[in-house]
Amino acid sequence: MRKAAVIGSPIEHSLSPVLHNAAYAALGLDWEYTRLECAEADVPALVASLGPEWVGLSCTMPTKRAALAVASSVTARAAAVGAANTLVRTDSGWHADCTDVDGVVGALREKGFSGGSTGVVIGAGGTATAVLAGFAELGISSVSLVVRDPSRAAEAVATAARVGVAVEVLSLSSVDLAVLAGSADVLVSTVPAEATAPLAAALARAPYVLDVIYHPWPTPVASAVEASGARLATGLDMLLHQAFGQVEQFTGLPAPQEVMRSALAAELAVRS
């Protein structure tokens, strides 16, 4: 039996097994996809321990940088982001990719976003780097990166340079978010829901908003965007689109997208 898994810590609530197992069943594959608790420091040993039956790993926090480091080959976008959420078994080792970029692009396109020139990103952590790579793919050439502490934005700035996006780092305490959002083509919030509560109305001024946080739901940003009439893409949309890419890389077959959507909806109904 072929095997795959999602790794990270904590991992017990990951929705990835729901998506992948539904996909494999629909594709007629007798494969098993599980969760493996794994700290960042343990990634090399875990990967080295996997037998030939293992075809791939989905890598969530805090394992994404370590996953990139253990790979024997790396896609250009994973190198640009500086992290990998996907490891695929090859004849010579493991191939690293970052389908989080697919998640960003797919989530926004699904909601009707066809491109633009200006974007805003709230936060500068690991998700923000994938967002910047996604923005480059969508044709966004200029990005305002809004952070509490500009001194912690170096990695995001480096990613922007690698993907050819001009970025301006702005301090949250000194920027008029409503004006900034209202003048942008698209905005992505990558920060926890509680941090966005006082900002939500301002962020909802953008015509397209992706809030990568999906628990607890609805987030303050989601509620504000829906009230404003702007187009909202969610972290669940992003989760689906990054999983589509992973399934296709693991199996070599087109992802059964509607089956995966239905499986996710059913699982969320149970959990609620």
Side-chain angles (χ1 to χ4, degrees), residues 201-231:
L203 301 186
R205 296 285 297 275
Y208 290 88
V209 177
L210 166 58
D211 186 357
V212 307
I213 305 301
Y214 56 82
H215 182 76
W217 190 260
T219 64
V221 170
S223 296
V225 170
E226 290 178 339
S228 75
R231 302 298 296 273

Side-chain angles (χ1 to χ4, degrees), residues 41-93:
D42 297 330
V43 171
L46 173 65
V47 172
S49 73
L50 300 179
E53 72 275 16
W54 285 85
V55 298
L57 294 173
S58 307
C59 308
T60 189
M61 295 303 292
T63 65
K64 294 182 180 183
R65 292 180 187 173
L68 186 71
V70 301
S72 52
S73 60
V74 177
T75 62
R77 64 182 182 178
V81 170
N85 78 323
T86 306
L87 287 174
V88 184
R89 171 83 76 178
T90 69
D91 292 340
S92 59

Side-chain angles (χ1 to χ4, degrees), residues 2 17 28 35 38 85 121 145 191 193 210 220-221 223 237:
R2 298 293 183 91
R35 302 177 183 89
C38 183
N85 78 323
V121 180
L145 188 68
V191 298
L210 166 58
V221 170
S223 296
D237 298 322

